[in-house]
Amino acid sequence: MTFVRSNIAAMEGYSWGEQPQDARTIKLNTNENPYPSSPRVQAALRDFSIESLRRYPEPTARALREALARLHNLTPEHFLLTNGGDEALRLALTTFVDPGATFSMATPSYSLYSVLAQIQDARLHSIALNADWSMPADIGRQLKLAQSRLTCLVNPHAPSGTLTNLPAYGQIAWQQDGVLLVDEAYVNFVDPSRQHDATQLVREHDNILLLRSFSKGYGLAGLRLGYLIGDPALIEPIMWKTRDSYNVNHLSQVLGLAAIEDQEYARSTWARVREERVRVAAVLENLGLPSSPSESNFILVQSNPSRRPARELYVGLKARHILVRYFDTPELGDKLRITIGTADENDALITALKQLL
Amino acid sequence: MTFVRSNIAAMEGYSWGEQPQDARTIKLNTNENPYPSSPRVQAALRDFSIESLRRYPEPTARALREALARLHNLTPEHFLLTNGGDEALRLALTTFVDPGATFSMATPSYSLYSVLAQIQDARLHSIALNADWSMPADIGRQLKLAQSRLTCLVNPHAPSGTLTNLPAYGQIAWQQDGVLLVDEAYVNFVDPSRQHDATQLVREHDNILLLRSFSKGYGLAGLRLGYLIGDPALIEPIMWKTRDSYNVNHLSQVLGLAAIEDQEYARSTWARVREERVRVAAVLENLGLPSSPSESNFILVQSNPSRRPARELYVGLKARHILVRYFDTPELGDKLRITIGTADENDALITALKQLL
């Protein structure tokens, strides 16, 4: 006898990237920041007394919301902290999408979106991207026709790294009747010269949520900390009804605050990643492995299947203790998604690829 | 225009206990352990490098599950770690209860249960407890008739502290067709002479889940760490499908491990709480405030409304910077739930109550 709901029994779970715990592996497969978080985070940890863990955390992560409000020039009521960005995605589905109603995503993008839709027993509307990873011109109309209650679009796009300009999202928000969640997990790595700041969308639209993460930008993937930015009317039902009351633990609140209060340090890591992104992409292109322009902390590399297929490169790199991400799907099976590491890690990658080609 | 699901729009959120952040308040309202976690937890924190937060956590909390398997004499596959016990409750609903299907709980008990049922849009079947807080004799039959998919029962019971013996749960598990979750948030405070060990139920029944928490027993409410114990077939769909892949952060895994590996220290805090529980209950009874026998870290005190109603006592204590829990409901409006604190905190409570009476 099974006790499990039929939609859960029928679905496959999310396949996470390999997470080896050894120090030897050069890990370029799950888009972590190659640099640790600010020294201020280590200092906050050092000063932390476990006596303060005896009590429940501040339920609304007030201090963090206030700091984020200053950082983004909005109000604390525009923010909701979550146990990693994944929790924010799940909460958006729980709050806005009835079972049987439509949830939309672009394909390919973050494969967790469709897993969460299946857990919620939502109907999945999949939007095929153009060959250059741009969104189809009729996406807003598609979403309206599908009566999409929630649409998740990642920008910069994963796994391509492509940045879409903001007016496109404003247009989609107008053209359809659901909530549009723009997943900005990688937005910290966008070149500042692009002057890309999506918070303007939140001021102008009552149906746009932005998702940010501490995992990549702040080197804190292990801490699980993310946040939603949105009109207070969108944030409120999640804050007061659908999330677990103490979803963000006290230590994460303290360390997250220390991390965002050192913007100078964080920006220095983003700049270093950008420099290496340009260098690695150029070197790999010279090796016959071009990638589309990336504004993220990874590049999507096109293999030459007649020479050396992507899967073989993945296996060969893994044998050399270098992990990159290979997706065995029709759109991505001839490509590799490679996280930008430190200069040394990237050099090791380049050397290994030269040997393999 | 609202974007929120109608069941979410219609419901009220969970009302958490007051969580003042000042050090002055004597906080006897949300059942925290009055003692901090083991010094080994502080040592683990001191030795922790934020470099290790750069990467994602081990997704399945393997080291913790292995340690728990040794502690409870089961296998790692019997365990699932969660971001606090509340997440475990939510995941049980997500995994086992279809929207529209029946979820059951006793009344009164943990008010979050019904909130979670509303989020899942489940039908709520409420079981009225007997006047002495024991379960009705026909509870198994009630659950079978209601076609309950999941039933949550807290043992020791909250808010009364009453311990129910294990055979009753085995019987309920047999008599109905759903999953029975026994919420053991307070079980660490049961007198060892009772030889109460519910893991035997898990060995004998494929439809019983036990919920444990680090919040009370290990003085780590601020860390958010709980776990489910159950037949691997019950654990598996939660582990691999419905939970967020990285639901327990790396720091919590490390500190939780340090906490459970110092059982001697933890047991010493439980013993001190039990001694104070006996003392406080006896003193309050002499003041005309009797309580039912508690095997938990709180007591439910009966006020004498003709002398001084419970609400007035709550207000009077609060004015003296002592917080206790008052529930404004028909069953509980003449009672106060008081957490057992340190000897000093309990003395302050007793002094204040003497003044108020």
Side-chain angles (χ1 to χ4, degrees):
Chain A
M1 164 155 199
T2 182
F3 302 98
V4 179
R5 292 170 60 199
S6 56
N7 64 311
I8 306 293
M11 67 177 273
E12 299 279 329
Y14 174 67
S15 297
W16 53 73
E18 296 156 274
Q19 303 294 0
Q21 302 300 306
D22 67 295
R24 185 183 181 189
T25 301
I26 294 179
K27 205 168 162 308
L28 305 176
N29 67 327
T30 54
N31 299 340
E32 289 100 334
N33 193 320
Y35 304 104
S37 201
S38 160
R40 288 201 211 173
V41 178
Q42 187 72 57
L45 194 67
R46 196 186 53 224
D47 296 342
F48 194 91
S49 162
I50 61 164
E51 163 66 26
S52 66
L53 288 178
R54 209 170 54 69
R55 294 190 176 181
Y56 283 88
E58 203 289 310
T60 72
R62 167 162 298 280
L64 252 177
R65 287 187 298 122
E66 287 170 352
L68 288 168
R70 288 190 293 274
L71 180 65
H72 293 292
N73 201 19
L74 290 162
T75 74
E77 289 68 36
H78 282 94
F79 294 89
L80 178 93
L81 276 294
T82 56
N83 183 37
D86 291 352
E87 183 181 50
L89 296 168
R90 175 175 52 71
L91 285 169
L93 266 142
T94 301
T95 308
F96 304 115
V97 187
D98 283 303
T102 300
F103 167 83
S104 303
M105 62 181 282
T107 306
S109 69
Y110 187 23
S111 59
L112 180 69
Y113 297 154
S114 58
V115 172
L116 294 172
Q118 289 174 84
I119 295 172
Q120 184 68 356
D121 211 5
R123 193 150 38 115
L124 184 68
H125 178 72
S126 202
I127 298 153
L129 295 177
N130 298 326
D132 66 351
W133 310 107
S134 65
M135 294 186 287
D138 69 341
I139 180 169
R141 196 153 45 88
Q142 275 193 46
L143 295 175
K144 189 174 174 75
L145 283 173
Q147 296 183 285
S148 184
R149 297 289 300 271
L150 175 69
T151 302
C152 287
L153 298 172
V154 54
N155 192 41
H157 178 249
S160 73
T162 308
L163 184 74
T164 299
N165 288 328
L166 298 175
Y169 295 98
Q171 207 175 357
I172 297 170
W174 279 118
Q175 289 174 339
Q176 50 86 53
D177 303 316
V179 174
L180 174 61
L181 185 151
V182 185
D183 181 345
E184 301 199 297
Y186 304 102
V187 80
N188 296 125
F189 303 102
V190 174
D191 197 303
S193 69
R194 301 283 294 249
Q195 298 193 295
H196 185 90
D197 178 6
T199 56
Q200 193 54 35
L201 291 172
V202 166
R203 292 189 189 85
E204 292 168 0
H205 299 272
D206 66 355
N207 62 341
I208 287 189
L209 285 171
L210 306 178
L211 172 58
R212 295 290 194 104
S213 170
F214 285 69
S215 296
K216 284 87 181 181
Y218 295 92
L220 290 173
L223 194 63
R224 316 309 302 126
L225 197 57
Y227 58 101
L228 285 173
I229 315 176
D231 188 282
L234 282 187
I235 294 293
E236 198 180 76
I238 311 178
M239 174 70 90
W240 301 105
K241 294 182 175 180
T242 53
R243 80 185 168 98
D244 295 337
S245 317
Y246 303 105
N247 63 329
V248 178
N249 75 75
H250 181 50
L251 248 174
S252 296
Q253 292 185 34
V254 170
L255 301 189
L257 188 61
I260 60 163
E261 285 185 338
D262 196 354
Q263 285 295 306
E264 192 182 332
Y265 173 87
R267 276 196 298 263
S268 74
T269 71
W270 306 338
R272 279 185 281 175
V273 168
R274 287 198 308 274
E275 283 166 28
E276 280 293 293
R277 177 175 74 205
V278 172
R279 178 177 81 91
V280 172
V283 173
L284 296 194
E285 179 138 27
N286 281 336
L287 294 178
L289 296 171
S291 51
S292 47
S294 170
E295 290 290 339
S296 187
N297 69 334
F298 54 80
I299 54 177
L300 187 66
V301 169
Q302 173 69 53
S303 72
N304 182 339
S306 64
R307 203 166 147 215
R308 196 78 155 151
R311 184 199 285 276
E312 280 183 35
L313 291 175
Y314 161 74
V315 172
L317 288 170
K318 191 170 177 178
R320 286 162 175 79
H321 304 287
I322 300 174
L323 274 184
V324 300
R325 194 79 186 258
Y326 175 71
F327 298 97
D328 190 7
T329 66
E331 300 105 332
L332 299 170
D334 59 348
K335 300 176 179 65
L336 292 177
R337 192 193 68 187
I338 302 179
T339 307
I340 302 300
T342 62
D344 285 351
E345 290 174 328
N346 300 333
D347 285 341
L349 169 82
I350 291 164
T351 303
L353 282 173
K354 280 180 181 165
Q355 290 168 358
L356 288 167
L357 284 167
Chain B
M1 163 156 198
T2 181
F3 302 97
V4 178
R5 293 169 59 199
S6 55
N7 63 310
I8 306 292
M11 66 178 274
E12 298 279 327
Y14 174 67
S15 299
W16 52 73
E18 296 156 274
Q19 304 293 1
Q21 303 299 307
D22 67 294
R24 184 183 181 189
T25 300
I26 295 179
K27 205 168 162 307
L28 305 176
N29 67 327
T30 52
N31 299 340
E32 289 100 333
N33 193 320
Y35 305 105
S37 201
S38 159
R40 289 202 211 172
V41 178
Q42 188 72 56
L45 194 68
R46 195 186 54 226
D47 295 343
F48 193 92
S49 162
I50 62 164
E51 163 66 26
S52 66
L53 289 177
R54 209 171 54 68
R55 294 189 176 182
Y56 283 88
E58 204 288 311
T60 72
R62 168 162 297 280
L64 252 177
R65 287 188 298 121
E66 288 170 351
L68 288 168
R70 287 189 294 272
L71 180 65
H72 293 293
N73 200 20
L74 289 163
T75 75
E77 288 68 36
H78 282 94
F79 294 89
L80 179 94
L81 277 292
T82 56
N83 185 36
D86 291 353
E87 182 181 49
L89 295 168
R90 175 175 51 72
L91 285 169
L93 267 142
T94 302
T95 309
F96 303 115
V97 186
D98 284 304
T102 301
F103 167 82
S104 304
M105 63 180 283
T107 306
S109 68
Y110 187 22
S111 60
L112 180 68
Y113 298 154
S114 58
V115 173
L116 294 173
Q118 288 173 85
I119 295 172
Q120 184 67 357
D121 211 3
R123 194 150 38 112
L124 184 68
H125 178 71
S126 203
I127 299 153
L129 294 178
N130 299 325
D132 65 351
W133 311 106
S134 63
M135 294 187 286
D138 70 341
I139 180 171
R141 194 153 46 89
Q142 276 193 45
L143 296 174
K144 188 174 175 74
L145 283 173
Q147 297 183 284
S148 183
R149 296 288 301 269
L150 174 70
T151 303
C152 287
L153 298 171
V154 55
N155 193 39
H157 178 250
S160 73
T162 307
L163 184 73
T164 300
N165 289 326
L166 298 175
Y169 296 98
Q171 207 174 359
I172 296 169
W174 279 117
Q175 288 174 338
Q176 50 86 53
D177 303 316
V179 174
L180 174 61
L181 186 151
V182 184
D183 182 343
E184 301 199 298
Y186 304 102
V187 80
N188 297 124
F189 302 102
V190 173
D191 197 301
S193 69
R194 301 283 294 250
Q195 297 193 295
H196 185 89
D197 178 5
T199 56
Q200 192 55 37
L201 291 172
V202 167
R203 292 188 189 86
E204 292 166 359
H205 299 271
D206 66 356
N207 62 340
I208 287 189
L209 286 171
L210 306 178
L211 173 58
R212 297 288 195 104
S213 170
F214 285 71
S215 296
K216 284 88 182 182
Y218 295 92
L220 290 172
L223 193 63
R224 315 310 303 127
L225 196 57
Y227 57 102
L228 286 173
I229 316 176
D231 188 282
L234 283 186
I235 295 293
E236 197 181 76
I238 311 177
M239 174 69 90
W240 302 106
K241 295 183 175 179
T242 52
R243 77 184 171 98
D244 295 338
S245 317
Y246 303 105
N247 63 328
V248 177
N249 75 74
H250 181 49
L251 248 175
S252 295
Q253 291 186 34
V254 169
L255 301 189
L257 188 61
I260 59 162
E261 285 186 337
D262 196 353
Q263 285 295 306
E264 191 181 334
Y265 174 87
R267 277 196 299 262
S268 74
T269 71
W270 308 337
R272 279 185 281 175
V273 168
R274 287 198 308 273
E275 283 166 28
E276 280 294 291
R277 176 177 74 206
V278 172
R279 178 178 80 93
V280 173
V283 172
L284 296 194
E285 179 138 26
N286 281 336
L287 294 178
L289 296 170
S291 51
S292 48
S294 170
E295 289 290 337
S296 187
N297 69 334
F298 53 81
I299 54 177
L300 186 66
V301 169
Q302 173 69 54
S303 72
N304 182 339
S306 64
R307 202 168 148 214
R308 195 79 155 151
R311 183 198 287 275
E312 280 183 37
L313 291 175
Y314 161 76
V315 172
L317 288 171
K318 189 170 179 178
R320 288 163 173 79
H321 304 287
I322 299 174
L323 274 184
V324 299
R325 193 79 187 258
Y326 175 70
F327 299 96
D328 190 6
T329 67
E331 300 105 332
L332 299 169
D334 59 349
K335 300 176 180 64
L336 292 177
R337 192 193 68 186
I338 303 179
T339 306
I340 302 301
T342 62
D344 284 352
E345 289 173 328
N346 300 333
D347 284 343
L349 168 82
I350 290 164
T351 303
L353 282 172
K354 280 180 181 165
Q355 291 167 358
L356 288 166
L357 284 166

